[in-house]
Amino acid sequence: MLTPLLRVILPILLCVGLLGCWEWSVAYWSIPSFVLPPPSAILAVFISDGVSLLHSAWITLGTTLMAFVLAVISGVALAVLFASSRLAEALLSPYAVTLQVTPVVAIAPLILVWVGLDRAWLAVLILAWIVAFFPVLASATAGLKAVDPNLRDLFRLYHAGFWQTLRRLQIPSSLPYLLSGIKTAGGLALVGAVVAEFAAASGNTSGLAWRILEAGNRLQIAKMFAALLLLALMGIVIYAILSVIEWLLLHRWHGDRRNNS
Amino acid sequence: MSHDLRLERLAKTFPNGTAALHDLSAEIDSGAFFSLLGSSGCGKSTVLRLIAGLDVPTHGRVVWPQGLARLGFIFQEPTLMAWASAICNVALPLELAGVPVRDARARAAEALAQVGLSGFTTALPRELSGGMQMRVSIARALVAQPQVLLMDEPFAALDELTRGRLNDDLLRLWSECRFSVIFVTHSVFEAVYLSQRILILSARPGRLLADIQNPVPSPRTPEVRLLPVFNATARDILAILEDRVTC
């Protein structure tokens, strides 16, 4: 049986072991560092370039968070509009779908031209928002449609206003859907931000994606690894935070699933 | 005798062409216990939705001689907000009407005590049994002190024992609070046990087959089920239903 302590210790031991193998293999087969740098070289990059990498990470994180917040607000707002007006849904949802299915890399040059190269950060923000927006819209729309029609009738019977119905019925009822969409959007906002930085790569954006391109051009593979590591960490932290928020909001309502007979 | 509402030649045909209800007229006396009895799908629920204003009749109208009454509605399912405690569910009608939260919660606690759930104010719906959830639903309907209580086969999904208890509790609440009840059911025995008057509807499209003044004496206790008049009434009603129900 796995005790909780072992559950933590074993993965760490495996990780340390793999890093050791990596370090040893690079030295043993004398793999050149522009193909595969040893973990120690990556650590060295963190020590020498840590501050500037963190600065880039901060920029990418800022874009990601802004795009995420915008996506949640606009996605929920549009879903509420769709839920309260069939006409609005019929008119607008084709555009939302079109925006979603068009590859964001293909839209990037156009957006970049529109906002101007000197404001590349804005283009990156818009592109990341486009990527993160759709899962929020889709999940919120599904959640709002799944509201118990009898409860909706009950609210009508007691003459509940639009905001009362939204706040007391529609939002809490669609929360499980919404939160799963928001969790997806958190990850996608980061993906969108990085893809957009790649697409807009002109030196005017100085996020982590640009650092990866720059390091790649100079064959500084250890730096690429360091930047990648930071991106992965950011993704994990965003996902973990959103999972905790989801748990905090829903665990009382859904309870321990094992007790939910 | 004064009456709360009058149904004038109500008819409802849904947009898909289904005729749910045909030419139903009735007067609902104040404080009376009415049952709408009929087989499934005969438009009984449609009548309640028309009375509640949740649907609009195709023909005819619902008349409120003394102005629109305060309504309570109890659905076949408990229809509770899964994320809110019993007391929050019960306080909902008051809070929607703008009653301050503190007063609303106090009155909700009273209503929960009325239905025998004073120990379960903070319980979530999923922590309650089906019968207890239905009690919460009844408390929520009572908290706004309705003049007319509309009930749409509220106990159909419950087991026999729970159903019997809730029937007796409903009768007790009705005699204490004196609202009128319009009780939709497909159970002949439930209708005969509970109501003073029974409107029998035909199969779809629902039309009035009979309007029966229930001769079973009050107060209704489980013993009245053993009286000859109880069985005779039930038999008469079954005969009317079986004679006309063709499907």
Side-chain angles (χ1 to χ4, degrees), chain B residues 33-62:
Chain B
F33 200 123
F34 267 77
S35 281
L36 276 177
L37 180 66
S39 54
S40 299
C42 72
K44 308 183 295 279
S45 304
T46 307
V47 178
L48 287 196
R49 293 183 59 82
L50 293 176
I51 293 173
L54 295 171
D55 263 329
V56 184
T58 321
H59 296 292
R61 55 187 187 140
V62 179

Side-chain angles (χ1 to χ4, degrees), chain A residues 148 150-151 153-160 164 168-169 172-173 251-256 260, chain B residues 49 52-54 71-73 75 77 79-83 92-93 95-96 122 124 126 140-141:
Chain A
D148 179 358
N150 282 341
L151 268 178
D153 282 343
L154 192 82
F155 272 70
R156 270 177 68 199
L157 194 73
Y158 290 119
H159 312 290
Q164 280 180 319
R168 286 173 173 273
L169 175 63
S173 171
H251 79 282
R252 206 175 104 81
W253 173 6
H254 289 285
D256 189 344
N260 244 353
Chain B
R49 293 183 59 82
L54 295 171
L71 294 174
F73 203 117
F75 298 87
E77 283 83 39
T79 313
L80 302 174
M81 299 181 288
W83 55 91
L92 177 79
E95 290 179 11
L96 286 179
T122 58
L124 287 173
R126 68 177 166 84
R140 179 179 60 193

